[in-house]
Every structure is written in C-alpha cells, then in structure tokens.
C-alpha cells in the first residue's frame, strides 16, 4: 500500500514555515549588520568628538603657555645657541592644564552624548545624514594621560626645527542599544614649533 501524498494544506504549511524561517534569518542578518554598523559609526563619531575636545584643550592651554615660555635657550658670547632646556615646571603645568581641560570637555560630552541620524546608521549613502537622530551616550573610562615629547629635526642647512608635542591618551565608552563600544584615542598634538639657526644644540628635558 503506497504512502499517502501530503495534502494541499500540509504543503502550504511547509511552504509557509520555510518562508517564515527564511524571513526570520533575513531579519537576524539585517539586525546583526545594523548592530555592527552602529558600533563602527559610534566609534568613529566618538573618536572625532574626543579629538575635537583635545584640540580645544590644547588651544586653550597655549593661550596661557605660549611656545617661547616652554623652553630656555643657553647662548654663548656671540649669541649662538648652545643648548635648549625644556622648563620642567612649565611642562608639568601644561600637562595638568591639558588634562583638566580635556576632562571638563569629556564631562560635557557625557552630558550631551552624540547624535547620529538613523539614515547614517542604515549604511545607505543616499540616506546618510537623514532621518531622526539616535542619541548615543558616551562615558569617560579611566584617567586622561598626557606626556610632553621634544625633539630636533633638520630644517635645512645650518637650521634646526624644535618641536614640542603632547601625547594624550583618552578612553571612553559608547552605550549602544545592543551593548557598548570602547573608544581609545592615543594621538600626538603640536604644542610648539620653532626654527633655531646655527649648529644643532643639545636638548635637555630639565630636572
């Protein structure tokens, strides 16, 4: 005796179940890609916001500590520069000022967060920057760290360029609908650049 063929109702049930499974997998894949895109965009925007805060902090600090106050030049009787010494007290004040200004900026960022248009999160170029905005909260993680770096670079015949930069490290976290994303900024920012004419002098960081 042969097996009975599935009824039309059963076949339709199988087809419907297959459609539901395929549609469910499609939605899961879309949500997964959207989640990854939200993380990517949040990290980019968060890093951008942190960099702007650091740049503002450096600019604000330089208003109180101009380039020529950060170092002292020792000259001989003919006025030639023999050595350049970074003022340790000023260097410490600059670092503390930058840290303080960055932390103030991060505190404001924590209160305001960043707003990303839904169209941008879709990943579709045409929709970028459009639609309602999703607010992403950002929180500071750990302490802000800064370090002054000084070096000489050749700037042509009988000329040397003195560069003083500050290395700033910041860690923040973006609170997302599907979890969180850690954002690290570890970049160098220019504080001072000047040309010294004559033989390359000695550079001292001070005591």
């Amino acid at each position: 005796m042969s097996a009975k063929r599935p009824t039309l109702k059963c076949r339709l049930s199988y087809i419907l179940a297959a459609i539901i499974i395929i549609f469910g997998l499609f939605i899961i894949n879309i949500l997964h890609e959207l989640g990854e895109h939200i993380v990517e965009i949040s990290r980019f925007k968060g890093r951008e916001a942190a960099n702007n805060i650091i740049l503002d902090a450096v600019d604000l600090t330089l208003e109180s500590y101009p380039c020529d106050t950060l170092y002292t030049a020792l000259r001989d009787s003919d006025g030639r520069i023999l050595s350049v010494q970074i003022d340790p007290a000023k260097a410490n004040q600059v670092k503390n000022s930058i840290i303080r200004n960055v932390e103030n900026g991060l505190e404001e960022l924590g209160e305001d967060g960043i707003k990303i248009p839904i169209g941008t999160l879709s990943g579709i170029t045409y929709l970028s920057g459009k639609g309602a905005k999703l607010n992403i909260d950002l929180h500071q993680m750990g302490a802000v760290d800064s370090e002054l770096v000084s070096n000489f670079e050749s700037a042509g015949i009988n000329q040397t360029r003195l560069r003083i930069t500050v290395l700033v490290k910041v860690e923040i976290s973006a609170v997302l609908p599907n979890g969180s994303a850690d954002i690290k900024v570890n970049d160098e920012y220019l504080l001072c650049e000047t040309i010294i004419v004559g033989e390359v002098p000695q550079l001292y960081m001070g005591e």
Side-chain angles (χ1 to χ4, degrees), residues 151-163 193-201:
N151 61 72
F152 283 126
E153 299 174 352
S154 174
I157 299 175
N158 211 34
Q159 289 185 336
T160 306
R161 179 184 292 109
L162 168 63
R163 286 172 56 88
E193 186 173 62
T194 186
I195 299 296
I196 297 174
V197 179
E199 297 180 1
V200 179

Side-chain angles (χ1 to χ4, degrees), residues 60-71:
L60 188 59
T61 296
L62 289 178
E63 291 179 7
S64 302
Y65 303 96
C67 177
D68 57 4
T69 66
L70 301 180
Y71 67 92

Side-chain angles (χ1 to χ4, degrees), residues 126-198:
Y126 175 76
L127 298 178
S128 181
K130 298 179 180 179
K133 294 182 178 180
L134 177 67
N135 189 73
I136 303 294
D137 291 330
L138 295 174
H139 300 290
Q140 179 181 344
M141 297 175 60
V144 177
D145 187 30
S146 71
E147 178 185 355
L148 260 62
V149 180
S150 307
N151 61 72
F152 283 126
E153 299 174 352
S154 174
I157 299 175
N158 211 34
Q159 289 185 336
T160 306
R161 179 184 292 109
L162 168 63
R163 286 172 56 88
I164 303 176
T165 58
V166 61
L167 180 63
V168 181
K169 300 178 183 179
V170 170
E171 292 187 24
I172 54 180
S173 178
V175 181
L176 307 176
N178 58 338
S180 63
D182 293 341
I183 304 166
K184 296 183 179 181
V185 176
N186 185 5
D187 289 321
E188 213 168 355
Y189 303 84
L190 182 64
L191 288 178
C192 176
E193 186 173 62
T194 186
I195 299 296
I196 297 174
V197 179

Side-chain angles (χ1 to χ4, degrees), residues 5 9 11 17 19 23 27 58 64 76 88 92-93 97 102 128 130 142 144 151 154 158 172 204:
R5 293 182 178 180
K9 186 176 181 180
R11 290 199 297 271
I19 291 174
F23 182 73
I27 293 298
V58 169
S64 302
D76 63 13
N92 193 53
Q93 291 169 5
S97 175
V102 169
S128 181
K130 298 179 180 179
V144 177
N151 61 72
S154 174
N158 211 34
I172 54 180
Y204 299 98

Side-chain angles (χ1 to χ4, degrees), residues 5-182:
R5 293 182 178 180
T7 63
L8 177 61
K9 186 176 181 180
C10 287
R11 290 199 297 271
L12 290 176
S13 297
Y14 295 151
I15 293 172
L16 180 60
I19 291 174
I20 291 174
I21 292 172
I22 293 172
F23 182 73
L25 293 174
F26 176 76
I27 293 298
I28 290 173
N29 183 62
I30 290 294
L31 291 176
H32 176 71
E33 290 186 3
L34 180 60
E36 289 187 342
H37 199 59
I38 289 176
V39 171
E40 181 183 346
I41 294 295
S42 297
R43 280 182 172 152
F44 174 79
K45 292 293 186 181
R47 192 174 291 110
E48 184 180 54
N51 268 313
N52 288 336
I53 287 172
I54 297 171
L55 286 171
D56 289 343
V58 169
D59 289 341
L60 188 59
T61 296
L62 289 178
E63 291 179 7
S64 302
Y65 303 96
C67 177
D68 57 4
T69 66
L70 301 180
Y71 67 92
T72 331
L74 176 64
R75 301 174 184 269
D76 63 13
S77 56
D78 295 324
R80 292 176 301 185
I81 296 178
L82 300 177
S83 65
V84 174
Q85 182 175 26
I86 305 301
D87 188 323
K90 284 288 193 303
N92 193 53
Q93 291 169 5
V94 166
K95 289 192 295 183
N96 290 338
S97 175
I98 290 174
I99 289 174
R100 183 171 58 253
N101 291 329
V102 169
E103 288 181 339
N104 289 340
L106 291 178
E107 185 177 348
E108 291 182 10
L109 181 62
E111 294 174 356
D112 300 335
I114 55 175
K115 295 176 175 56
I116 305 175
I118 297 296
T120 301
L121 295 176
S122 69
I124 301 174
T125 304
Y126 175 76
L127 298 178
S128 181
K130 298 179 180 179
K133 294 182 178 180
L134 177 67
N135 189 73
I136 303 294
D137 291 330
L138 295 174
H139 300 290
Q140 179 181 344
M141 297 175 60
V144 177
D145 187 30
S146 71
E147 178 185 355
L148 260 62
V149 180
S150 307
N151 61 72
F152 283 126
E153 299 174 352
S154 174
I157 299 175
N158 211 34
Q159 289 185 336
T160 306
R161 179 184 292 109
L162 168 63
R163 286 172 56 88
I164 303 176
T165 58
V166 61
L167 180 63
V168 181
K169 300 178 183 179
V170 170
E171 292 187 24
I172 54 180
S173 178
V175 181
L176 307 176
N178 58 338
S180 63
D182 293 341

